[in-house]
Amino acid sequence: EPIGWDEALDLLAGELKALASPDEALFYVSGRLSNEGAFLLQLFARAYGTNNLPDCSNMCHESSGSAMSETLGTGKGTVSLDDIHNSDLIFVVGQNPGTNHPRMLSALEETKRNGGRIVAVNTLPEAGLNRFKHPQRPRGVVGRGTQIADQFLHIRAGGDLALFQALNLLLLEAEDAAPGTVLDRSFVERNTTGFAEFAEHARQLSWEHVLEATGLSREEIEEVHERVLKSEKIIVCWAMGLTQHKHGVPTIREIVNFLMLRGNIGKPGSGACPVRGHSNVQGDRTMGVWERMPQKFLDALEKEFGFTPPARHGLDAVNGIRAMYEGRAKLFLGVAGNFVRATPDSAVTEEAMRGCRLTAHISTKLNRSHTVCGETALILPTLGRSDRDFQATGEQFITVEDSMSEVHASRGKLPPASPHLLSEVAIIGRLAEKTLGDMPHIPWKEFEADYGTIRDRISRVVPGFEDFNARVAVPGGFRLPNPPNEGVFPTPSGKAVFTRNDFTMPQVPEGHLLLQTLRSHDQWNTIWYAPNDRYRGIHNARRVVMVNPADLDALGVADRSTVDLVSVWRDGKERRAENFTVVAYPASRGSAAAYYPETNVLVPLDSVADISNCPTSKGVVVRLEPAADAA
């Protein structure tokens, strides 16, 4: 039913004020929100009285932030595009750039032209790394393309921890054989702590366990080791193939160990590179959209705005779903994104949302989450980033931060689809004013009229954004400071931390496979635009499961047969995704791959990564059963 803006925001504000506690509300953000919008949303939530600020990072790169904050003192990557272009050796681990990060392929092509080498580590062959044709360059159209990957390690699912533990052991042994020639002793002694304990632990590694976990030969691993010894500048890039495992955090900590051994942190052409796909997922976190922001940030908010933000940690995405399911959270406000389709355990998530008193979505386009409603539901349509945004003081622009910590302006060029659309800043500000009144005194109308006034406040609260308005006006924007690149490690000890990570690998019962959920080529996040996966040679199909031919033979399952996927979890509850076509595909042995969001139903809500609480969408134990329809 149509509803006017004042009526809609009055309704939402009234429900917020009627809650027994601010902690009964959830304020969810996906990566599309601008820096200005994200800052206002977290300001509103904390002035309202809660840190319940789940975001899309909870489902993807939370393991990266947990591991890097502990070891380097920052949750952000340490590399720039120039670093990638000029690196000697780049590992692309658990990441499919051709499908999910296509612009990265052009950066890797530049690496190759500059003499760098690429090692791809994946459970599935990545066509874009095998032969890349740049669509915007003549040689990319008429030539044979660029062979991006110099070596492909066809690793077993979840075997990346064992791989980097083996590489670290080989580096220690090479240093033993030629003291002073392999490790960067100066970096280790000056900038790190915990090396001796790490080295003692690393030497206990069993090669038998490594080969079992990785599915690789020792010769393959030693070939990579030789490439490492020949390289002065090394980068490791990774994505959700690492983060969405139960042991995702220790895997990334081991990668940091690997980089530190040869001083590949803070050196040009080297570093740690978690590859985030959303437009402003990193910026939202920088602006304070996190349920566990440090006290220093909260103190800065208090100083700037004159109220005391709540200190108690809030709910992340997984715990937020659990709170809605159990009736402890009663109101959900989502800004951008497709929460129901992006989260695990689809049936549980939908039941949780339907149990809310009110669900509201600030969105640029309709999606499936809008159809999973609480007792009352609102869809609040907003301007897109491509739309021109006129406010009381004139045309506005917003800012975003990319994976390389570069902050730049974004200006819409298209006329809005409707004169009735409001900007995200306007919606959040008006809602905050209706909910909070003038307690505390925050100039929401001023913020809506002139986004520059928001940036002025950001400049006094968020480190690195000093003189924000002037610096972002420069074409190309500016790069935020990255402490490890300046030899600064904001850890409790003031040094980077070597960690001891216990060897582990996924345990899969006989007759089962380890399922990874992934995107197709013609898909962006949860939305697919065509039923094709061109790089993998699959057309006009979404409900497919890719399995190694040898595994199909062992399981007695025929190629092109129709099966149900049934996940196995300790709660004994059956989670089933029906009617999937089996496709014989060179997946690593013991694994299977299928597209999300169709397979999110198989990911148990309680199956999460240790420490980060990230859903384990790359480590779901499943069995294949003949589909009832097929019978």
Side-chain angles (χ1 to χ4, degrees):
E1 301 175 357
I3 186 171
W5 276 111
D6 282 339
E7 186 181 358
L9 296 176
D10 283 340
L11 173 61
L12 181 48
E15 288 287 350
L16 284 166
K17 288 188 285 189
L19 294 177
S21 163
D23 288 333
E24 291 185 339
L26 300 173
F27 297 84
Y28 172 75
V29 176
S30 185
R32 192 189 55 75
L33 188 60
S34 66
N35 287 329
E36 291 77 8
F39 185 80
L40 285 199
L41 186 75
Q42 65 82 29
L43 178 63
F44 168 38
R46 292 188 166 106
Y48 173 65
T50 185
N51 281 312
N52 287 348
L53 284 155
D55 72 336
C56 57
S57 286
N58 297 152
M59 272 93 75
C60 55
H61 269 288
E62 201 64 58
S63 296
S64 300
S66 296
M68 294 177 64
S69 294
E70 178 185 351
T71 56
L72 300 177
T74 177
K76 298 185 180 184
T78 66
V79 305
S80 67
L81 273 178
D82 283 342
D83 290 326
I84 290 176
H85 294 160
N86 295 295
S87 182
D88 297 330
L89 180 64
I90 297 180
F91 287 78
V92 180
V93 190
Q95 180 197 357
N96 300 313
T99 301
N100 299 333
H101 310 105
R103 291 183 180 180
M104 185 176 175
L105 289 177
S106 59
L108 295 175
E109 185 183 37
E110 184 74 18
T111 306
K112 293 300 297 286
R113 282 206 304 272
N114 292 336
R117 295 290 180 262
I118 314 294
V119 174
V121 184
N122 211 317
T123 59
L124 300 171
E126 167 67 16
L129 292 174
N130 183 43
R131 184 68 66 186
F132 173 56
K133 289 191 171 187
H134 199 301
Q136 296 176 331
R137 292 177 180 157
R139 65 175 176 271
V141 176
V142 301
R144 296 182 63 246
T146 302
Q147 177 76 32
I148 297 291
D150 296 277
Q151 185 177 358
F152 171 53
L153 297 182
H154 200 189
I155 199 165
R156 282 183 175 159
D160 310 278
L161 172 60
L163 171 63
F164 281 94
Q165 287 179 322
L167 291 174
N168 288 341
L169 174 60
L170 289 172
L171 287 174
L172 291 171
E173 292 177 342
E175 175 72 8
D176 293 341
T181 65
V182 176
L183 304 188
D184 188 335
R185 288 285 184 180
S186 175
F187 176 87
V188 170
E189 293 169 4
R190 182 178 67 252
N191 293 305
T192 74
T193 185
F195 172 77
E197 295 83 357
F198 151 77
E200 179 184 6
H201 179 267
R203 294 180 192 279
Q204 300 171 12
L205 187 68
S206 160
W207 272 99
E208 180 183 357
H209 290 161
V210 168
L211 302 183
E212 179 186 4
T214 62
L216 304 171
S217 67
R218 182 159 180 167
E219 289 73 22
E220 287 178 292
I221 297 173
E222 288 180 341
E223 181 181 347
V224 177
H225 170 64
E226 290 300 320
R227 294 183 186 277
V228 171
L229 293 179
K230 295 175 182 177
S231 304
E232 293 295 322
K233 300 172 292 183
I234 299 175
I235 291 172
V236 181
C237 302
W238 69 87
M240 286 177 281
L242 267 61
T243 64
Q244 291 182 330
H245 277 285
K246 181 173 175 57
H247 56 290
V249 172
T251 299
I252 296 163
R253 290 192 308 218
E254 198 66 35
I255 287 173
V256 175
N257 289 340
F258 169 75
L259 290 168
M260 293 195 300
L261 282 175
R262 287 173 59 80
N264 283 299
I265 294 291
K267 181 170 63 177
S270 68
C273 183
V275 182
R276 294 170 167 91
H278 276 327
S279 175
N280 199 39
V281 62
Q282 188 158 295
D284 290 347
R285 183 61 62 87
T286 303
M287 291 296 110
V289 177
W290 191 31
E291 74 280 358
R292 293 181 285 128
M293 285 301 287
Q295 189 61 45
K296 186 175 180 180
F297 179 91
L298 301 180
D299 290 343
L301 271 187
E302 180 171 10
K303 180 180 179 182
E304 182 65 26
F305 292 101
F307 72 94
T308 302
R312 188 162 69 94
H313 289 171
L315 299 174
D316 63 9
V318 167
N319 288 327
I321 294 169
R322 189 175 291 112
M324 289 189 288
Y325 187 80
E326 296 172 354
R328 292 182 287 111
K330 298 179 172 62
L331 188 148
F332 176 93
L333 172 62
V335 185
N338 188 3
F339 184 79
V340 168
R341 299 291 275 168
T343 46
D345 223 338
S346 304
V348 171
T349 297
E350 292 186 12
E351 186 175 347
M353 294 287 281
R354 291 191 175 104
C356 288
R357 279 170 38 181
L358 184 144
T359 54
H361 300 271
I362 301 173
S363 305
T364 58
K365 59 180 70 66
L366 294 172
N367 63 52
R368 288 289 294 275
S369 293
H370 299 153
T371 70
V372 182
C373 302
E375 294 175 27
T376 302
L378 290 168
I379 301 172
L380 306 175
T382 184
L383 293 174
R385 193 176 293 172
S386 57
D387 297 331
R388 300 182 72 181
D389 182 355
F390 290 93
Q391 301 297 340
T393 61
E395 189 166 5
Q396 307 296 311
F397 68 88
I398 53 89
T399 63
V400 295
E401 177 188 352
D402 65 21
S403 287
M404 308 295 177
S405 299
E406 300 276 355
V407 179
H408 61 86
S410 177
R411 293 176 170 83
K413 297 180 180 180
L414 303 177
S418 165
H420 301 295
L421 293 175
L422 294 180
S423 71
E424 290 159 335
V425 166
I427 295 170
I428 294 167
R430 293 184 190 186
L431 175 61
E433 188 171 38
K434 288 177 179 290
T435 304
L436 303 175
D438 60 358
M439 294 295 290
H441 178 68
I442 297 174
W444 304 107
K445 284 189 173 67
E446 179 183 330
F447 290 157
E448 178 183 343
D450 182 358
Y451 298 177
T453 61
I454 306 173
R455 290 187 286 273
D456 284 339
R457 299 302 189 99
I458 292 172
S459 71
R460 295 195 288 271
V461 172
V462 185
F465 283 82
E466 297 78 9
D467 204 15
F468 190 2
N469 275 307
R471 291 164 70 201
V472 81
V474 176
F478 60 94
R479 189 175 189 214
L480 293 172
N482 190 286
N485 289 340
E486 299 164 10
V488 176
F489 299 95
T491 63
S493 67
K495 293 187 175 185
V497 181
F498 275 97
T499 53
R500 292 168 292 175
N501 302 295
D502 291 338
F503 173 89
T504 188
M505 59 179 285
Q507 300 298 321
V508 181
E510 185 175 352
H512 293 71
L513 300 169
L514 199 66
L515 176 72
Q516 311 164 80
T517 72
L518 44 75
R519 290 197 298 232
S520 69
H521 182 268
D522 294 301
Q523 180 175 346
W524 177 243
N525 297 329
T526 58
I527 306 298
W528 54 271
Y529 298 101
N532 303 318
D533 196 347
R534 288 172 283 165
Y535 280 2
R536 298 186 179 106
I538 295 172
H539 300 276
N540 297 314
R542 289 284 305 177
R543 300 184 77 83
V544 299
V545 57
M546 292 167 266
V547 184
N548 189 288
D551 285 325
L552 292 179
D553 289 343
L555 295 170
V557 176
D559 184 25
R560 306 292 168 171
S561 61
T562 305
V563 299
D564 291 348
L565 308 180
V566 183
S567 70
V568 177
W569 184 242
R570 59 175 177 252
D571 62 5
K573 178 180 176 183
E574 182 178 280
R575 294 169 176 84
R576 182 179 293 265
E578 299 177 332
N579 297 319
F580 276 66
T581 300
V582 175
V583 175
Y585 195 86
S588 62
R589 289 299 307 272
S591 70
Y595 304 128
Y596 73 77
E598 291 87 346
T599 49
N600 285 0
V601 65
L602 299 171
V603 185
L605 187 66
D606 293 330
S607 181
V608 293
D610 294 336
I611 302 173
S612 69
N613 212 37
C614 181
T616 57
S617 300
K618 297 296 187 289
V620 184
V621 177
V622 298
R623 65 177 184 269
L624 309 184
E625 292 187 355
D629 290 354

